[in-house]
Amino acid sequence: QGSSSMYLGVFYNQGTVKDLVSIWVANRNQSLSTDATCTFTEEGNLTLKDGQGGSIIWQIGPGNLLQLRDSGNLILERNSNASSTVVWQSFEHPGNTWMPTGSIGPDQKLVSWRNASDPRPGPYSLIMGNNSNFILLYNDSIQYWDSGPWNGAIFSNVPEMTANYIFNFSFSNITGFTWSVYPEYGEKYNNSRFVMQEDGLVSESSYDPSQDSWDIFWTKPNQHCDVIRYCGQNSICNNNVDPHCSCPTGFKSVDQTEWGNQIFQKGCERASPLDCPLNQNTNSTDGFLVFNKTSFSGWASTFSQIVDDEGTCKSRCLSDCFCDGFYFLQAVGSARGNCSLFSGSIYDGTVDSTSQGSYYIRISAEYLNSQAPPSESKGKFRSGLIAAIAVGGAAVIGVLCLAMILIILERRRRRREGASSFNGSSPVDRRSHRLQKNPRNLKD
């Protein structure tokens, strides 16, 4: 599985499928060391131990016949007097994969892996509901998809299904749902499976031998951002970009390695702590990052009230050390609106053009002042250069203005001196002098 961990399980034949694709894993909760042993004891127990004389990791039995059927079902039987009894079978204990002829009933569920190379149970599961339906759950508690009830031919919320669908579903109140491939499609779709994926989507796929690959027919929900906690805490999901998850300004991914591998469930955390003054008379230096056309379905409100304006809501949050942000929904035609403060991490932020109101996430001024990206630094350099040019230009203009003032003052001084030499003459004589100095004024 791409690591040094070892598991006992059922996989597709590598002669048919090049990539090792699992159907079922016995010890999914605990990996094995290289000296692990699997024995079929005299008592008829199949026992998996981690190392010589080590502890028992997994065990079934007793029985006296172990077989792997073509369906992928691993079966332990007890044979006696020409009769056989199934003691245990892997199809009754599915992992993340639902195979043809297998059942998902009231006591079974598909559980996702942690990631593509770690079969430990993840947070997502597919179970049968109480209305002849299937539902997807996060942590066995939060529902985020419903197949709709089964009407004998299709599930109402799976429009891809038709009466002549490739797969034949049957339902029993005892065993739940079982499916198989219709005989006329068997050659092309015989190697098919349903998988509860680690990203929270349930998918149906079939193996294409000509391409040696698995072709996915459909996934539910239709989009990743419809999966609860897909991007983890303090993050934003956008179905229109790839990758879908991102950390907002002032936050960073909790696990950069997983983030690089397109695993986002740990989400984001603050890049620097918030400012909460010990003296409450001192204002916090924190600011807010506003999100419009964005919805956050996972957050806990600690205060909700109609306030006079958005500024009042901001002040309430900044004065509360436990406030990590707020939601403000302004009333139509008024500055007043509903102010809801929240505390702790927020979840399931999704770009949503229909969302009303604005979400304000509290962010430290320290981060905003100290973590400018390279492009912003270049911008600051250009701004500084422009400012320097502007200051230099202002200095040149100042010199020119000073020169003009000096010239004007000098001309006025000369005029005064010229005027003093005609103190005893008549106004006509003085005008004659000016006309001699400027012949163009003869028309005057």
Side-chain angles (χ1 to χ4, degrees):
Q1 292 296 301
S3 68
S4 58
S5 301
M6 296 184 64
Y7 298 90
L8 173 69
V10 178
F11 301 83
Y12 281 95
N13 191 320
Q14 283 185 283
T16 304
V17 183
K18 291 181 181 179
D19 294 328
L20 191 62
V21 177
S22 70
I23 294 173
W24 172 83
V25 177
N27 57 308
R28 67 178 299 184
N29 289 298
Q30 184 175 343
S31 62
L32 301 169
S33 59
T34 55
D35 59 349
T37 59
C38 182
T39 58
F40 201 17
T41 66
E42 294 182 358
E43 295 81 12
N45 296 319
L46 183 63
T47 303
L48 183 63
K49 291 184 178 181
D50 191 13
Q52 297 293 332
S55 59
I56 297 176
I57 304 300
W58 176 78
Q59 180 177 262
I60 58 172
N64 52 24
L65 177 62
L66 181 69
Q67 59 173 307
L68 177 61
R69 295 183 175 174
D70 291 341
S71 62
N73 193 11
L74 182 64
I75 295 178
L76 179 63
E77 294 180 324
R78 183 185 299 113
N79 295 328
S80 61
N81 300 325
S83 65
S84 62
T85 302
V86 175
V87 175
W88 179 93
Q89 56 181 320
S90 60
F91 273 14
E92 290 183 349
H93 307 274
N96 70 333
T97 304
W98 186 16
M99 297 291 290
T101 71
S103 297
I104 296 293
D107 298 325
Q108 285 97 19
K109 63 180 179 179
L110 299 184
V111 181
S112 65
W113 286 21
R114 291 277 185 92
N115 57 57
S117 60
D118 186 349
R120 287 179 298 171
Y124 300 108
S125 60
L126 173 76
I127 69 170
M128 195 180 82
N130 297 322
N131 194 27
S132 301
N133 62 330
F134 284 108
I135 58 176
L136 292 176
L137 298 176
Y138 172 79
N139 277 352
D140 292 329
S141 59
I142 305 176
Q143 178 180 320
Y144 61 95
W145 180 76
D146 184 345
S147 70
W150 173 253
N151 64 9
I154 66 171
F155 295 98
S156 61
N157 291 339
V158 186
E160 297 88 345
M161 296 185 70
T162 63
N164 296 318
Y165 195 54
I166 296 169
F167 306 117
N168 178 28
F169 282 80
S170 60
F171 174 73
S172 165
N173 289 326
I174 299 176
T175 60
F177 285 96
T178 303
W179 69 283
S180 61
V181 180
Y182 278 113
E184 56 265 36
Y185 300 109
E187 183 176 353
K188 184 175 182 180
Y189 298 103
N190 197 41
N191 284 334
S192 298
R193 59 187 178 134
F194 286 87
V195 177
M196 184 67 253
Q197 299 178 174
E198 55 269 15
D199 59 7
L201 300 177
V202 61
S203 66
E204 189 285 318
S205 59
S206 295
Y207 177 69
D208 183 357
S210 64
Q211 300 295 323
D212 195 17
S213 63
W214 288 90
D215 294 334
I216 295 179
F217 273 35
W218 57 260
T219 59
K220 295 295 177 184
N222 293 326
Q223 297 178 314
H224 277 96
C225 293
D226 293 330
V227 176
I228 292 292
R229 305 296 191 266
Y230 172 69
C231 291
Q233 62 181 358
N234 302 319
S235 59
I236 303 297
C237 188
N238 188 343
N239 286 309
N240 298 320
V241 299
D242 192 20
H244 301 306
C245 302
S246 62
C247 293
T249 301
F251 290 79
K252 62 182 180 179
S253 58
V254 173
D255 191 323
Q256 187 59 49
T257 301
E258 287 193 354
W259 200 272
N261 292 327
Q262 306 290 294
I263 301 172
F264 310 105
Q265 292 171 11
K266 292 181 181 178
C268 310
E269 61 185 356
R270 295 187 183 279
S272 57
L274 296 175
D275 173 28
C276 185
L278 295 177
N279 180 2
Q280 291 300 311
N281 294 323
T282 304
N283 293 329
S284 171
T285 61
D286 294 335
F288 292 93
L289 189 67
V290 60
F291 288 91
N292 296 310
K293 301 302 180 184
T294 305
S295 63
F296 290 89
S297 59
W299 57 288
S301 174
T302 59
F303 167 89
S304 185
Q305 191 177 66
I306 299 297
V307 296
D308 290 336
D309 52 37
E310 180 185 294
T312 303
C313 199
K314 287 183 179 180
S315 298
R316 282 185 179 273
C317 185
L318 288 177
S319 63
D320 183 354
C321 287
F322 296 100
C323 180
D324 290 286
F326 67 92
Y327 169 76
F328 185 77
L329 178 60
Q330 185 173 345
V332 178
S334 172
R336 292 169 62 81
N338 180 66
C339 171
S340 298
L341 310 185
F342 57 83
S343 177
S345 299
I346 55 176
Y347 293 89
D348 304 317
T350 304
V351 175
D352 181 3
S353 60
T354 64
S355 177
Q356 297 180 340
S358 299
Y359 290 86
Y360 292 78
I361 300 180
R362 191 168 176 174
I363 187 172
S364 68
E366 176 187 351
Y367 179 86
L368 292 175
N369 294 333
S370 64
Q371 298 295 324
S375 58
E376 186 176 333
S377 300
K378 294 179 181 178
K380 288 182 178 178
F381 172 77
R382 288 195 293 268
S383 299
L385 180 60
I386 293 171
I389 293 173
V391 171
V396 172
I397 293 172
V399 172
L400 292 176
C401 290
L402 179 61
M404 290 293 292
I405 292 171
L406 292 175
I407 291 171
I408 292 171
L409 291 175
E410 178 63 20
R411 285 181 178 177
R412 289 179 178 177
R413 184 185 65 78
R414 290 178 180 179
R415 287 176 181 174
R416 285 195 300 270
E417 290 178 354
S420 64
S421 63
F422 288 98
N423 285 338
S425 59
S426 65
V428 175
D429 293 333
R430 287 195 296 270
R431 184 174 183 272
S432 299
H433 179 76
R434 289 197 299 272
L435 293 176
Q436 290 174 5
K437 297 282 289 184
N438 189 0
R440 289 177 296 179
N441 291 334
L442 289 175
K443 292 182 181 180
D444 296 335

